[in-house]
Amino acid sequence: MMKAFFSKTYQTITRTFISSLLMMSAVAFAEPQIWDVAVIGDGPSGYSASIEATRSGLSVLHLTGNDIGGQISRTPTLDNWPGEPNHLSGAELIVRMKKHSLSTNRVKMSLYVDGIAKQGEYFALRTNMGVYFAHAVIAAPGASPNIPMQIMTRDNLPTGDNIHTCTLCDGFNYQNQPVAIIGGGNTAAEQALTMANIASQVFLLVRKDTLRAQQTYRQELEKNPRVTILYETQAVNITHRSHFLQNIQHNLRLKLNSSQPTDSHLDVDALFIATGQTPVTEFVDATLLDREGYLRNRQNPHQVTSSALLKIARRSPNPFDIVQASEGVKTFVQLQQNLLTRSNHNNTQDVIIIGDSAGAYSAALYAARDNYKVTLIPWPNNPSHSSVFWPDFGSINVQTLKARMRKQVTHAGVRVIDNDTQVVMSHLYGYWQVSTSEGTIISKTLIMDESASPSDDLQDVRSPEEGIFVAGDAVKGSVNQAITAAAAGKRAAMAASNWLLNNRPYR
């Protein structure tokens, strides 16, 4: 009887073992699922790309990693998202996008990508949980700010509590308050000049005995009464007001290490770190990166123009598409160099914007948030499209979106002139004169909607490697804003969809 028991047990174990081997073999030799596109990225670019690709009918594998939202998720107040008149945080924006993306038919995995390799007709993506395959890849991994090591202590990580890395994003929150900026290059100089229009005082902390910024920036900084440059100075410790036993007037106390005769500490309401960023591109083949590790694209580096007239490129047939909003922001960023030397002419505006589009409203919003005087003339009125798709709203009525944008720019201080008659423009003695129904307006600079037919070759979102598309902060020269990142993600998905029409095997 004992012998029969062991015999039966042995047979059961043997059958189980053989069955397991057969299952393992079946899995090992099963044909892996091939996705149309794999999206890598956890910020606005990644979410926007995965949503747009799914809307194009593609099967999408979205690899986000664990740091959902990236840098934008640590922005405490995001008041420059076009079409959102109420303040929200960066984390709230990402939650909106995530919620919207989860409603689409695609797969999201919190996996890290270790490498990408071309394998026949497919790309093999090696992750911490195995290998996945896709016909095309959209890389939107983002970038990380370079934080000086002397202030990177365990209890003192710059994660958004009055410590920021972008004046364009957060500077507006510190009207008439003292701020400090760390850095000595062009980025730090630009941020210092921007904050000089907003803050009561700007302290620029430069580690060396000279600025690396170009000469025009140095000259503007030195003659600006609101800017104090502290050479050979470093912030070696940061203490928040809540940590003090006694009451102080400002949010932060910076302990300084300086070779110059200066106080040992500096009290400010905000600190901006402008020491550059590092793209998160370790998993990308070096042939697809530039010397600094940024993703390469097929477009030449963008050259900033100093023209007093700029046009918002027309890239979408719908003037209130998110891509047009992005173009408006990029146009304003180009114009900032002109606005550094502001006009003293009486009754002049720093910038006049003529156009009725998401780009015109977005450019007006960004200019006003930097304390420039702005006049917006929504002319001519564009034919109303019934609706438009945004990655956080979903499908939204164009008139509703337009009303939200108008409320947002008006609240920011933009003068809006509704003009039903012909607008007459002339350029004389370095100033633009624009005749409207409310009289003539004089300005040094002018932004206009491009009137030509929509045109977008999508070359700036295409990698040198066929089948790989790029978007977001990891692309050299990108404007590091949530709206531009989301638009880039959408355009990368459009480029991938177009490419797959001719390069995806029949399925």
Side-chain angles (χ1 to χ4, degrees):
M1 186 173 180
M2 201 71 156
K3 183 177 180 182
F5 171 78
F6 279 113
S7 176
K8 187 175 292 187
T9 302
Y10 174 78
Q11 291 175 10
T12 301
I13 294 174
T14 302
R15 281 198 300 269
T16 303
F17 179 70
I18 293 174
S19 176
S20 299
L21 284 177
L22 290 173
M23 289 178 63
M24 291 172 64
S25 298
V27 172
F29 291 101
E31 183 176 344
Q33 179 174 358
I34 310 296
W35 302 86
D36 287 332
V37 60
V39 177
I40 304 168
D42 52 14
S45 288
Y47 279 104
S48 183
S50 66
I51 292 170
E52 182 65 23
T54 302
R55 294 181 70 242
S56 298
L58 305 177
S59 63
V60 180
L61 174 65
H62 188 180
L63 303 174
T64 65
N66 290 331
D67 184 21
I68 304 300
Q71 291 191 64
I72 190 66
S73 65
R74 292 181 281 276
T75 299
T77 303
L78 187 69
D79 55 7
N80 60 357
W81 179 257
E84 181 50 76
N86 301 314
H87 292 181
L88 74 162
S89 68
E92 288 171 332
L93 176 65
I94 291 298
V95 167
R96 284 185 185 180
M97 289 187 172
K98 181 179 179 181
K99 181 180 180 180
H100 188 196
S101 68
L102 289 175
S103 66
T104 61
N105 182 25
R106 61 148 182 79
V107 173
K108 180 180 76 69
M109 295 186 177
S110 299
L111 302 180
Y112 292 104
V113 179
D114 297 325
I116 303 174
K118 193 68 184 292
Q119 193 166 312
E121 297 178 340
Y122 315 119
F123 289 98
L125 291 88
R126 187 176 67 252
T127 75
N128 56 323
M129 292 294 287
V131 179
Y132 297 85
F133 299 89
H135 293 288
V137 175
I138 297 176
S144 298
N146 298 332
I147 308 299
M149 290 302 298
Q150 66 269 17
I151 62 174
M152 281 287 288
T153 63
R154 184 182 61 183
D155 300 321
N156 187 34
L157 294 177
T159 56
D161 191 8
N162 304 116
I163 303 175
H164 311 280
T165 58
C166 174
T167 56
L168 201 59
C169 313
D170 305 299
F172 183 71
N173 300 313
Y174 299 98
Q175 297 272 349
N176 300 316
Q177 300 176 57
V179 302
I181 297 175
I182 296 177
N186 285 338
T187 299
E190 289 174 359
Q191 294 199 9
L193 289 169
T194 297
M195 289 307 298
N197 290 337
I198 301 171
S200 61
Q201 187 69 34
V202 179
F203 298 94
L204 183 59
L205 279 55
V206 183
R207 181 170 56 89
K208 297 183 178 181
D209 60 357
T210 184
L211 284 168
R212 291 182 289 108
Q214 62 191 47
Q215 184 177 359
T216 54
Y217 286 148
R218 294 199 301 268
Q219 292 172 346
E220 292 296 330
L221 288 169
E222 289 168 356
K223 70 182 183 182
N224 194 308
R226 291 192 179 185
V227 177
T228 300
I229 305 175
L230 300 177
Y231 290 105
E232 297 182 286
T233 300
Q234 299 182 69
V236 294
N237 185 263
I238 304 170
T239 308
H240 288 77
R241 177 169 55 182
S242 59
H243 297 170
F244 282 102
L245 296 177
Q246 72 275 19
N247 291 327
I248 65 168
Q249 185 178 358
H250 302 291
N251 294 327
L252 303 174
R253 171 159 289 180
L254 278 58
K255 182 179 179 181
L256 303 180
N257 179 11
S258 177
S259 63
Q260 304 297 319
T262 185
D263 292 336
S264 61
H265 68 271
L266 184 65
D267 291 341
V268 293
D269 282 310
L271 172 66
F272 291 88
I273 300 173
T275 51
Q277 61 181 14
T278 300
V280 186
T281 54
E282 297 88 351
F283 62 90
V284 181
D285 189 275
T287 59
L288 303 181
L289 305 176
D290 68 8
R291 293 181 179 180
E292 298 175 81
Y294 285 93
L295 294 166
R296 293 168 52 209
N297 58 22
R298 299 189 183 187
Q299 189 177 66
N300 292 327
H302 180 69
Q303 298 296 321
V304 176
T305 177
S306 59
S307 172
L309 170 63
L310 288 179
K311 292 189 176 182
I312 301 172
R314 186 76 184 273
R315 299 193 184 277
S316 172
N318 190 330
F320 281 86
D321 189 275
I322 191 172
V323 172
Q324 289 307 120
S326 170
E327 290 303 315
V329 173
K330 290 192 287 187
T331 302
F332 166 70
V333 171
Q334 291 180 47
L335 194 63
Q336 270 188 317
Q337 277 197 341
N338 258 17
L339 298 178
L340 292 179
T341 306
R342 301 179 64 175
S343 170
N344 293 320
H345 193 288
N346 291 332
N347 300 319
T348 64
Q349 301 292 299
D350 286 314
V351 60
I352 298 174
I353 300 173
I354 300 176
D356 186 37
S357 68
Y361 281 95
S362 298
L365 173 65
Y366 269 72
R369 289 179 74 259
D370 279 358
N371 271 11
Y372 295 111
K373 293 190 295 181
V374 183
T375 295
L376 171 63
I377 306 173
W379 180 89
N381 287 321
N382 283 303
S384 297
H385 289 65
S386 59
S387 63
V388 67
F389 190 89
W390 281 52
D392 61 327
F393 300 140
S395 183
I396 183 171
N397 179 273
V398 165
Q399 291 303 319
T400 301
L401 178 61
K402 182 176 178 179
R404 293 169 69 112
M405 288 184 169
R406 185 186 179 98
K407 179 180 178 181
Q408 191 177 20
V409 299
T410 302
H411 180 73
V414 175
R415 178 190 182 190
V416 181
I417 298 178
D418 291 307
N419 191 39
D420 297 328
T421 60
Q422 180 74 26
V423 174
V424 179
M425 297 172 291
S426 61
H427 193 241
L428 187 65
Y429 302 118
Y431 291 93
W432 288 98
Q433 298 184 38
V434 180
S435 299
T436 73
S437 58
E438 297 187 15
T440 300
I441 308 171
I442 301 173
S443 177
K444 183 181 178 182
T445 51
L446 179 66
I447 293 177
M448 293 182 62
D449 266 337
E450 175 64 66
S451 59
S453 300
S455 176
D456 192 354
D457 60 11
L458 300 170
Q459 290 299 303
D460 59 322
V461 294
R462 298 186 65 183
S463 164
E465 172 76 39
E466 285 288 337
I468 294 182
F469 304 87
V470 297
D473 295 353
V475 180
K476 188 65 173 290
S478 61
V479 177
N480 298 343
Q481 295 294 294
I483 191 69
T484 54
K490 175 178 180 176
R491 294 176 62 247
M494 293 166 56
S497 178
N498 293 340
W499 183 82
L500 285 168
L501 288 176
N502 299 316
N503 293 277
R504 177 178 54 190
Y506 177 78
R507 57 171 185 168

